[in-house]
Amino acid sequence: GDPCVEHWYGVTCTNSSVTGLYLPKNELQGSLSESIGNLLNLQSLNMHDNELTGRLPAAIKILSHLQVMKLSENMISGSILGSIGVLSSLIICDLGQNQLSGSIPTSLTQLPLLADLILGDNQLSGTFPASSSGFSQLTVLDLQNNKLSGSLDSLMSFPKLTSLFLSNNSFTGSIPSSIGKLNFQTLLHSHNQLSGSIPSSIALLQSLVQIDISFNKLQGTIP
């Protein structure tokens, strides 16, 4: 049947093309099919909080109009596809609370419109990809509860970042003094291996609402 003519549950259509799949909390099982690549005009894929397994289908890279991808709270495994980096329309990428492993592809930093990148509560490892010019629109970055390491320096170069969730990883080094140049509202960095002193520039964060840097190896006084 035709999902647009028959008005299938959870399917949104525009001009007889499927543009949205909204199927959260439906106890869906199995893996995402490669045939999702047939939905060439898909703009929103929201299937969070189901029981999906398997890997992310490679055909996702074909969905050039995709703006929202919410697949959190499933059991999706394997690695994050580097080819997601070609989805130039993507604004929200939420793959949190799955079983994803491996490293975070550098290609993600080149997504020009990406505002929310949520990868928390997985089994990701390695360092966060360095980028001097990427993530120009990123406001929320959630990496908490993974196995990530490295310094925070590369995370301080995203000009619009307001919320940074890093708790329960293995980040090392000091908190960069450049932190005061950003407009952070939320900083959750507890349970890492950060060392050194807390930079005085942190007092410049006038919009800061919540900060937690407990359970690290920080020394000295609080500015």
Side-chain angles (χ1 to χ4, degrees):
D2 188 326
C4 297
V5 173
E6 299 175 8
H7 305 291
W8 289 8
Y9 173 79
V11 177
T12 302
C13 293
T14 305
N15 297 327
S16 300
S17 292
V18 175
T19 54
L21 292 179
Y22 185 77
L23 296 164
K25 301 181 180 181
N26 274 281
E27 300 183 10
L28 297 175
Q29 298 179 341
S31 59
L32 283 173
S33 170
E34 292 290 346
S35 61
I36 197 169
N38 296 331
L39 304 178
L40 295 177
N41 294 301
L42 193 66
Q43 298 175 15
S44 180
L45 174 60
N46 189 337
M47 301 177 74
H48 74 83
D49 199 359
N50 279 290
E51 299 172 19
L52 298 175
T53 55
R55 296 172 178 264
L56 292 169
I60 280 181
K61 67 182 180 182
I62 304 172
L63 306 177
S64 59
H65 298 286
L66 194 64
Q67 299 174 12
V68 176
M69 179 166 59
K70 293 185 176 181
L71 298 173
S72 61
E73 297 180 76
N74 280 289
M75 294 177 283
I76 298 170
S77 58
S79 58
I80 299 173
L81 301 171
S83 56
I84 290 177
V86 305
L87 300 178
S88 58
S89 299
L90 199 60
I91 298 171
I92 297 174
C93 179
D94 184 357
L95 300 174
Q97 299 185 57
N98 277 288
Q99 297 173 13
L100 296 167
S101 57
S103 59
I104 299 171
T106 302
S107 59
L108 297 190
T109 66
Q110 301 306 314
L111 291 168
L113 303 178
L114 193 66
D116 292 10
L117 179 58
I118 302 171
L119 303 175
D121 295 279
N122 278 289
Q123 300 166 26
L124 300 171
S125 57
T127 59
F128 192 80
S131 173
S132 58
S133 60
F135 284 147
S136 59
Q137 302 300 315
L138 194 68
T139 58
V140 177
L141 179 58
D142 182 355
L143 303 174
Q144 62 189 343
N145 300 312
N146 277 290
K147 302 174 182 178
L148 297 166
S149 56
S151 72
L152 303 188
D153 293 333
S154 63
L155 302 173
M156 297 299 158
S157 60
F158 311 135
K160 295 191 177 181
L161 197 60
T162 60
S163 299
L164 183 56
F165 303 92
L166 302 178
S167 298
N168 293 297
N169 279 287
S170 299
F171 287 103
T172 55
S174 59
I175 298 175
S177 58
S178 58
I179 195 172
K181 297 179 181 179
L182 296 171
N183 192 33
F184 282 115
Q185 298 174 8
T186 306
L187 288 170
L188 300 182
H189 298 174
S190 68
H191 294 87
N192 279 283
Q193 299 174 32
L194 301 175
S195 58
S197 59
I198 302 172
S200 58
S201 59
I202 208 165
L204 300 174
L205 297 173
Q206 297 183 357
S207 300
L208 194 63
V209 176
Q210 185 180 16
I211 181 170
D212 185 355
I213 51 177
S214 62
F215 295 96
N216 279 286
K217 300 177 181 178
L218 299 167
Q219 298 175 335
T221 58
I222 300 174

